[in-house]
Amino acid sequence: MQNEYIPFQSEIKEVIKHTDIEYTFRMTYTGPVKPGQFFEVSIPKFGEAPISVSGIGEGTVDLTVRRVGKVTDEIFEHYVGDKLFLRGPYGNGFDIEEYKGKDLVVVAGGTGVSPIRGVIDYFSDHKDEVKSLTFIAGFKSPDDILFTKDFEKWEKTMDVILTVDCAEEGFICNVGMVTEYIPKLQLENIEEAVAVVVGPPPMMKFSTLGLLDIGFKEENIWISQERKMCCGLGKCGHCKIDDVYVCLDGPVFNYTKGRQLLD
C-alpha cells in the first residue's frame, strides 16, 4: 500500500525571478495536473509548504514561490539542477471545460495571478474556444508585477487590464483597484458569462460583489480559497471550515459553495 505522505524528488529545470521575494521554479513532473491545484514542497529539516501550480509544460510544472518564512527561505537557496521534494498535485483545480464557448472574465490580485496563469495561458493559445476573454490583474506597485513577459504575450490575444494601487513617476499604467474596472465590462450576454476571481480575501469579496451587481449569476463565478492548507490530504484539519476541507474539496470552489465558507 502506497504511503501518501512520502514525497518524490523533482529537479529544478529553471528559476525565473519576478521580484526580490517571488521566483518561479520550473520543476520536473509528469502526470495529470490542473491549474489551481497545488503541490506540497518539502526540504528535510526545514518542513514543507503548499505551493500553487502556476504553469504546466511538457514534463514540467511551474511553482511560483513567495519568500515569506522558514521553508520558502530555504527553497530560494536552491538553483537549476538542485532537487526539491514534492507531494501532489492536490485539490480540484479549475476545469477548463466550464469556460469554453463563453465570455470569460478573470480577476486576480497579486500572487493570485499564479493559480490562474494556466487558465489564461490555455485560452491565450486557444482563443477560438471562448467568445471573449478579459483579464483584470492588480498589483500593489509596478515593482510587484509578476509574469511581465506573459502579460506582453496576453495583451496580443485578449483584453488585458493591468492596474496598480500606486504608480511610480514615469511609469505608464492604470492606477486603482481591480474593482473599479468591473462595472466597465462590455459583454453581450452577462447572464451567460463566466468569471474566475483569485486574490486576497477582501479583493475576492468585493470583486465577486461587483460581478453580481452587473448581472453575473452566482453559479457562473469560481473562486480559490487558498488558506491554511497543510497536509493536503484532509487529515490534519488545519484547513477545515465547517464540514469542508479546503485541500480536498477546494481550493477551487464555485461561488455558490465558496460564499458559505466563513473562516
Side-chain angles (χ1 to χ4, degrees):
M1 185 175 178
Q2 184 178 358
N3 186 337
E4 293 185 273
Y5 286 98
I6 297 178
F8 56 89
Q9 277 195 331
S10 176
E11 182 180 342
I12 301 172
K13 304 301 289 184
E14 187 177 357
V15 178
I16 303 162
K17 180 180 178 180
H18 303 295
T19 72
D20 289 341
I21 61 169
E22 287 151 324
Y23 289 11
T24 290
F25 292 79
R26 184 157 291 160
M27 310 298 302
T28 55
Y29 175 74
T30 301
V33 61
K34 288 182 178 181
Q37 290 186 300
F38 66 97
F39 283 85
E40 292 285 350
V41 182
S42 61
I43 300 175
K45 299 183 181 180
F46 290 90
E48 63 180 4
I51 306 294
S52 295
V53 173
S54 62
I56 302 168
E58 282 291 329
T60 64
V61 290
D62 289 354
L63 303 176
T64 299
V65 181
R66 190 176 196 192
R67 191 170 192 164
V68 292
K70 181 180 178 182
V71 179
T72 52
D73 282 351
E74 185 62 23
I75 291 173
F76 272 54
E77 298 301 317
H78 288 69
Y79 307 94
V80 173
D82 291 342
K83 292 181 173 63
L84 299 173
F85 287 94
L86 306 182
R87 289 194 290 118
Y90 296 122
N92 57 8
F94 293 103
D95 187 352
I96 296 291
E97 297 299 321
E98 295 277 5
Y99 316 127
K100 289 184 177 180
K102 301 172 183 176
D103 292 303
L104 172 60
V105 176
V106 178
V107 186
T111 53
V113 174
S114 297
I116 55 83
R117 179 172 172 245
V119 176
I120 297 293
D121 256 346
Y122 178 86
F123 287 115
S124 177
D125 295 334
H126 304 83
K127 56 184 179 181
D128 58 322
E129 294 188 17
V130 283
K131 287 184 178 179
S132 68
L133 175 54
T134 303
F135 181 28
I136 306 173
F139 296 91
K140 287 183 178 180
S141 74
D143 291 336
D144 295 307
I145 296 174
L146 306 179
F147 311 114
T148 52
K149 290 185 178 180
D150 290 316
F151 273 102
E152 293 174 6
K153 167 192 168 185
W154 296 334
E155 287 172 349
K156 298 174 183 177
T157 58
M158 66 191 75
D159 184 11
V160 174
I161 301 170
L162 178 60
T163 183
V164 296
D165 295 350
C166 56
E168 300 168 354
E169 186 175 350
F171 188 86
I172 301 173
C173 183
N174 295 304
V175 178
M177 303 295 183
V178 293
T179 49
E180 296 177 28
Y181 298 90
I182 292 174
K184 301 175 184 178
L185 291 171
Q186 300 292 323
L187 303 174
E188 289 185 9
N189 188 350
I190 287 183
E191 288 191 353
E192 297 302 319
V194 293
V196 173
V197 181
V198 188
M203 172 251 149
M204 289 202 297
K205 174 183 176 180
F206 290 106
S207 294
T208 51
L209 290 176
L211 291 167
L212 294 172
D213 284 344
I214 64 172
F216 273 77
K217 294 181 178 178
E218 288 189 355
E219 60 266 29
N220 289 343
I221 301 174
W222 282 262
I223 62 175
S224 182
Q225 299 267 34
E226 297 182 338
R227 298 194 66 202
K228 298 183 179 179
M229 295 183 297
C230 188
C231 72
L233 298 167
K235 303 297 184 184
C236 70
H238 279 74
C239 67
K240 191 171 186 287
I241 304 175
D242 296 328
D243 62 343
V244 172
Y245 290 89
V246 174
C247 67
L248 296 180
D249 303 309
V252 175
F253 293 94
N254 185 270
Y255 183 67
T256 56
K257 179 67 175 179
R259 66 181 176 83
Q260 301 174 37
L261 301 179
L262 301 177
D263 189 5

